[in-house]
């Protein structure tokens, strides 16, 4: 039997056959419910539509790939929201900030004050869609080939946008932080942008919720010592915390 939640999701899926995306506010008006109701509908269980950076879009996981933004969007939401508020507080007026790909970044961007002036550099579509809603933000999107699974753009040629810009702050996402293997992520195609940002940025902030502690993924970003800070929702295990301390990485947690 179709529930009201199913009816709402089906209406959104039908609407997306005509357009590529629907803003969350517009979707709420279309269905006659609150934005929170739609968020809850899409977070409760997998469906044919997902919420990415403030927009409702069709789930891209019918494309072949080994990591999908849509798969990860509803994972550990509470943890991501907690650490996002801590990370957002690090941004100061007129900073130039690099935002990595991944599903935590839109939560971080949502937590930024709307009237805070800053320049943002990004390489992922979900991050870009969240940033463009910040009226005081100047957004620079790195172009190139689009990869639907992790929603990132990778440059065609040798020249990279971060060769011309030195961010004051870089937020780097990770899917694993391990004592032996260091910091890792799912996809090799993310590494070039992450490494450029780590080379150029003054402050290098690793953003990872506590579910990532002790995990190892295929693409290695590097040692923990590459970062100046780790922002998470909970304290790392003692052994990892000791390694971070010895590497000069401060840990920021929700108060």
């Amino acid at each position: 039997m179709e529930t009201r939640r199913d009816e709402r999701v089906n209406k959104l899926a039908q609407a997306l056959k005509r357009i590529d995306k629907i803003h969350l506010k517009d979707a709420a008006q279309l269905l006659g419910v609150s934005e929170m109701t739609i968020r809850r509908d899409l977070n409760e269980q997998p469906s044919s539509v997902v919420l990415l950076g403030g927009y409702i879009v069709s789930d891209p996981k019918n494309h072949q790939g080994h990591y999908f933004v849509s798969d990860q969007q509803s994972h550990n939401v509470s943890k991501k929201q907690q650490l996002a508020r801590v990370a957002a507080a690090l941004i100061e007026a007129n900073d130039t900030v690099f935002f990595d790909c991944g599903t935590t970044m839109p939560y971080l961007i949502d937590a930024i004050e709307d009237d805070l002036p800053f320049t943002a550099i990004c390489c992922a579509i979900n991050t870009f869609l969240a940033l463009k809603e910040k009226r005081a933000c100047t957004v620079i999107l790195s172009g190139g080939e689009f990869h639907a699974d992790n929603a990132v753009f990778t440059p065609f040629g040798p020249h990279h946008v971060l060769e011309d810009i030195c961010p004051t702050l870089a937020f780097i996402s990770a899917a694993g932080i391990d004592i032996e293997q260091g910091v890792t992520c799912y996809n090799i195609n993310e590494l070039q942008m992450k490494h450029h940002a780590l080379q150029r940025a003054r402050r290098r902030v690793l953003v990872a919720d506590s579910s990532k502690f002790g995990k190892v993924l295929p693409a290695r970003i590097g040692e923990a010592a590459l970062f100046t800070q780790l922002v998470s929702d909970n304290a790392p295990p003692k052994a990892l915390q000791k390694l971070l301390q010895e590497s000069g990485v401060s840990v920021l947690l929700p108060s």
Side-chain angles (χ1 to χ4, degrees):
M1 181 177 178
E2 189 177 60
T3 65
R4 290 184 178 179
R5 182 258 180 195
D6 293 334
E7 290 177 2
R8 291 191 291 268
V9 171
N10 287 337
K11 283 183 179 179
L12 292 173
Q14 290 300 316
L16 287 169
K17 290 181 179 180
R18 300 186 294 273
I19 54 177
D20 62 343
K21 63 181 182 294
I22 308 171
H23 195 281
L24 180 59
K25 185 183 297 183
D26 296 331
Q29 292 177 350
L30 174 67
L31 300 178
V33 297
S34 68
E35 294 179 23
M36 184 57 68
T37 295
I38 296 178
R39 287 183 183 273
R40 188 164 55 245
D41 285 348
L42 301 183
N43 285 335
E44 278 182 358
Q45 60 190 47
S47 67
S48 60
V49 300
V50 295
L51 180 63
L52 293 177
Y55 284 83
I56 311 296
V57 299
S58 296
D59 191 335
K61 67 184 177 185
N62 58 324
H63 300 282
Q64 292 185 352
H66 48 285
Y67 167 87
F68 295 98
V69 167
S70 57
D71 290 341
Q72 303 298 318
Q73 182 72 18
S74 61
H75 292 182
N76 304 306
V77 171
S78 177
K79 294 180 179 182
K80 292 173 183 177
Q81 289 173 329
Q82 290 179 56
L83 70 86
R85 289 189 287 270
V86 177
L90 296 174
I91 303 174
E92 299 177 355
N94 302 313
D95 267 347
T96 298
V97 187
F98 170 78
F99 293 88
D100 200 1
C101 58
T103 56
T104 303
M105 292 299 155
Y107 292 106
L108 195 167
I109 295 161
D110 286 345
I112 301 170
E113 295 292 336
D114 288 338
D115 59 353
L116 181 71
F118 68 101
T119 297
I121 308 161
C122 63
C123 60
I125 192 65
N126 60 329
T127 306
F128 170 75
L129 291 174
L131 284 165
K132 80 180 194 65
E133 297 302 313
K134 295 297 173 178
R135 58 178 177 266
C137 175
T138 299
V139 187
I140 301 170
L141 174 62
S142 175
E145 181 183 1
F146 180 67
H147 303 267
D149 50 0
N150 54 350
V152 301
F153 293 91
T154 56
F156 278 121
H159 190 78
H160 199 283
V161 65
L162 283 173
E163 292 181 13
D164 302 319
I165 302 173
C166 293
T168 53
L169 176 62
F171 292 113
I172 307 295
S173 61
I177 308 175
D178 180 71
I179 295 175
E180 297 296 330
Q181 299 298 337
V183 184
T184 56
C185 62
Y186 282 93
N187 292 319
I188 292 174
N189 65 11
E190 299 174 18
L191 294 180
Q192 182 185 19
M193 187 64 119
K194 293 178 192 287
H195 289 163
H196 270 288
L198 287 168
Q199 290 170 5
R200 299 294 186 191
R202 186 186 312 161
R203 290 180 290 162
R204 303 168 301 280
V205 181
L206 177 60
V207 178
D209 67 69
S210 54
S211 70
K212 311 302 191 298
F213 298 153
K215 290 186 177 180
V216 178
L217 281 300
R220 188 173 187 273
I221 301 169
E223 300 292 342
L226 289 170
F227 301 89
T228 53
Q229 294 171 308
L230 164 67
V231 177
S232 191
D233 62 291
N234 212 339
K238 289 184 178 179
L240 179 56
Q241 197 162 19
K242 181 181 178 182
L243 173 66
L244 293 169
Q245 185 176 8
E246 292 174 348
S247 301
V249 183
S250 61
V251 179
L252 300 180
L253 305 172
S255 57

